[in-house]
Amino acid sequence: MPSLHSLIAGLGALGLLSLPFHPHPSGSTDRVTPGVVRVESTSHVSITLLDDRSVIQQAVREYDTALAEGSGFTVTPDGVVVTATGVVQASRDPRIYAANRIFSEYFKVKVPADFSRHTLDDPDLNRRLQACYPPQGQNSTCIATVTTGVTVFPYLDPPLPDGLPAQILTTGASPAAPAVLKVTKGGEKQTLPTVPVGVSLGPSVVALDVISFAGRPSAKQPAKADTAHLDPPGTRTFKQEDRDKLAKLLKNGATGGALIDDDKSEVVGLLAGDSGTPLTITPVDEIRTSLVAAGVTPRRGPVDVVYESALASYHNKLYAEAVPVLLQVLNLRPDQAVALDHLKVARAKTGTAEDAGARATASPVSVAKKSSAISPLLWLGGGAAVVIVIAAGAVPALVRRRRRRSGVEGGSAAEHAHDPATDGVASGQAGPTVPSWPPAATQVFEAAPYEPPVSPERDVTREAGAAAPAAAAPPAPDPSPPRGQAQLKFCTQCGMRLGPGHRFCGFCGHPADPR
């Protein structure tokens, strides 16, 4: 027995080890991916070199240099983007790069075109070079102005080759602080995909998904999703085994990338850090503070609402239901890259074994098998039901017919060309007997072709003894109608004319006599 218990315990331990430590729901990043962007910043430097060696001369140059690049995410459909400050405000000074370039070109000396300060062997030229570097003072030989240009590349298909120009609304005091941007062209229709922004980085958050771009987004360069784990949960510290992976991501453009709560599928922070800055998490509460400072409230657009409705069917594998909703997303935003990709998959899997909607509807073969298995029971039950219905309708009709025949045989023809209202007078009763409703039996009268009704002759006997007037009985039908004329039938309950094949009165619904 001890060995058996040990075996069971060992199997249980293996089962626990095989379970994931936290859930990674399918498509947990799909809500965020369409709103993720790449951000590239450049510096435009206008520099003037002053040469006063003989006659004062001015040399003017314009230089553009790459500043930084990273990722970000859109929080409003008109193009407000959040990224890290380090992506739009690099630590390297572009004025140094411009000084090296203009000095080398003007004085024809070798000065590297980089962001480092250099020295020259010639004392006079070296003095002038050092005076060209920032900061600018009274003895400076160079005057430089810098303009930062920011370009946002949304995740669209086909991609925008030149991106969307943007302006900086706010930046932070450190490279990891949030920076808020606003596109100046391309967001007028308010159809840019956005991300759901969370409220806080909760204490129970264990896994975070990082969404970033290693290059400009396109079908060949899709968004990259990686998962990292917090230790302990809810903190701003990653597990040691995940740090190396995230450091590589930062080198490949993940700075400013969205951090997604793997359970709720919403942005709860951004990833920051570079070669000179340690890996860190900027939580969502700091992001919201920066948005308030910029006068921006995060919100979703109509494209996002329809898109999330499509995701509900898509990730439940109801591909046939997802197709028309995805088409509606593309009707609002034809270049929504994720919707395009999902539409291809949904169309390919519609009606297949992977389509949950198709599985819910049984195949014809399975239906045939099931029907063949239960068909005897169905036939027996259906036959019994038909017999009961026929018996329920035939027995009362048979009883009424027998009563009517016995009444005809027991009296003369004159007595039974009767009016139900005069039966009581003929038998010597004080007044007429009022017929019950509905009558106990229904008679079908056969008569000549229809003629407008005329007032029947008054029955003297009925008038003498009746307390109230009653309708006279219709005249007895002629048993032998003229040849070639159709026999007309009328319902004795309401008097409506019946057609040749009518089994029930079309007005009151009373059954007709089959004779």
Side-chain angles (χ1 to χ4, degrees):
M1 292 300 293
S3 60
L4 179 60
H5 289 304
S6 301
L7 178 61
I8 294 175
L11 292 175
L14 289 175
L16 291 175
L17 289 174
S18 64
L19 294 175
F21 289 100
H22 54 80
H24 286 290
S26 174
S28 62
T29 62
D30 273 3
R31 293 182 68 203
V32 180
T33 304
V36 177
V37 300
R38 179 175 172 85
V39 181
E40 296 181 0
S41 61
T42 60
S43 293
H44 178 78
V45 184
S46 177
I47 187 170
T48 301
L49 174 63
L50 302 175
D51 182 10
D52 59 349
R53 288 179 299 179
S54 58
V55 179
I56 297 178
Q57 295 183 356
Q58 296 181 359
V60 181
R61 297 287 189 276
E62 304 280 339
Y63 300 109
D64 290 312
T65 178
L67 186 63
E69 58 188 27
S71 300
F73 44 91
T74 309
V75 296
T76 65
D78 59 348
V80 174
V81 175
V82 175
T83 186
T85 296
V87 176
V88 296
Q89 197 178 77
S91 56
R92 300 181 302 179
D93 194 337
R95 293 175 299 177
I96 296 177
Y97 169 84
N100 291 333
R101 287 282 305 273
I102 194 172
F103 211 86
S104 175
E105 294 171 4
Y106 183 81
F107 290 105
K108 308 300 181 184
V109 293
K110 292 184 178 179
V111 180
D114 55 20
F115 293 86
S116 300
R117 296 174 184 264
H118 299 280
T119 59
L120 297 174
D121 296 335
D122 186 315
D124 182 61
L125 291 179
N126 184 60
R127 178 185 62 81
R128 292 176 183 277
L129 175 60
Q130 301 307 316
C132 190
Y133 289 137
Q136 183 176 327
Q138 293 182 352
N139 297 324
S140 294
T141 57
C142 292
I143 302 172
T145 57
V146 180
T147 303
T148 301
V150 180
T151 306
V152 173
F153 295 88
Y155 186 22
L156 303 175
D157 187 14
L160 301 177
D162 299 325
L164 300 176
Q167 61 179 347
I168 301 174
L169 299 183
T170 61
T171 56
S174 67
V180 181
L181 318 174
K182 174 69 167 64
V183 298
T184 57
K185 182 180 179 181
E188 297 82 5
K189 295 183 179 180
Q190 301 199 22
T191 58
L192 290 172
T194 67
V195 303
V197 181
V199 177
S200 64
L201 181 61
S204 61
V205 175
V206 176
L208 293 176
D209 296 315
V210 184
I211 303 294
S212 62
F213 291 102
R216 294 182 178 180
S218 66
K220 297 181 179 180
Q221 186 73 56
K224 181 176 177 58
D226 293 273
T227 302
H229 305 82
L230 299 178
D231 185 22
T235 63
R236 299 168 63 175
T237 305
F238 288 105
K239 285 187 176 182
Q240 184 61 45
E241 56 267 27
D242 291 330
R243 293 178 186 176
D244 294 339
K245 175 176 63 177
L246 294 176
K248 293 179 181 179
L249 292 177
L250 290 173
K251 293 180 180 180
N252 293 327
T255 303
L259 293 175
I260 306 166
D261 183 346
D262 194 73
D263 185 37
K264 296 183 179 180
S265 300
E266 59 186 18
V267 176
V268 292
L270 62 83
L271 184 67
D274 53 26
S275 58
T277 306
L279 175 67
T280 184
I281 295 175
T282 302
V284 67
D285 52 351
E286 294 186 20
I287 295 174
R288 287 187 172 273
T289 301
S290 298
L291 290 172
V292 170
V296 176
T297 301
R299 56 189 172 89
R300 313 298 303 280
V303 176
D304 307 305
V305 175
V306 182
Y307 170 70
E308 291 201 6
S309 177
L311 286 183
S313 298
Y314 182 84
H315 286 299
N316 284 317
K317 297 184 178 181
L318 300 172
Y319 298 113
E321 296 181 10
V323 168
V325 190
L326 288 169
L327 288 173
Q328 181 62 23
V329 175
L330 298 174
N331 184 42
L332 297 173
R333 186 79 204 192
D335 51 2
Q336 214 267 43
V338 183
L340 283 168
D341 183 66
H342 286 352
L343 180 60
K344 294 177 183 178
V345 176
R347 281 177 167 171
K349 294 185 177 181
T350 296
T352 65
E354 297 184 59
D355 191 344
R359 293 199 306 266
T361 304
S363 63
V365 176
S366 61
V367 171
K369 290 182 179 179
K370 291 182 180 179
S371 62
S372 63
I374 63 175
S375 58
L377 296 178
L378 289 177
W379 280 110
L380 290 175
V386 171
V387 171
I388 292 172
V389 171
I390 294 175
V395 171
L398 181 61
V399 171
R400 289 196 298 269
R401 186 178 297 179
R402 288 182 177 179
R403 286 179 180 176
R404 185 166 55 253
R405 288 180 178 177
S406 62
V408 173
E409 293 174 357
S412 64
E415 292 174 346
H416 290 88
H418 69 283
D419 183 348
T422 63
D423 288 347
V425 177
S427 61
Q429 296 179 2
T433 302
V434 180
S436 61
W437 188 268
T442 301
Q443 296 181 0
V444 178
F445 296 92
E446 300 178 357
Y450 178 78
E451 295 180 0
V454 295
S455 300
E457 295 183 359
R458 308 176 80 179
D459 191 335
V460 179
T461 307
R462 177 181 175 187
E463 290 181 353
D478 186 358
S480 57
R483 192 172 216 168
Q485 293 184 354
Q487 293 182 349
L488 301 181
K489 299 181 180 181
F490 299 89
C491 176
T492 55
Q493 175 131 336
C494 64
M496 286 295 293
R497 178 180 172 180
L498 302 177
H502 287 181
R503 298 175 56 194
F504 296 90
C505 176
F507 183 76
C508 67
H510 208 75
D513 195 319
R515 290 186 305 166

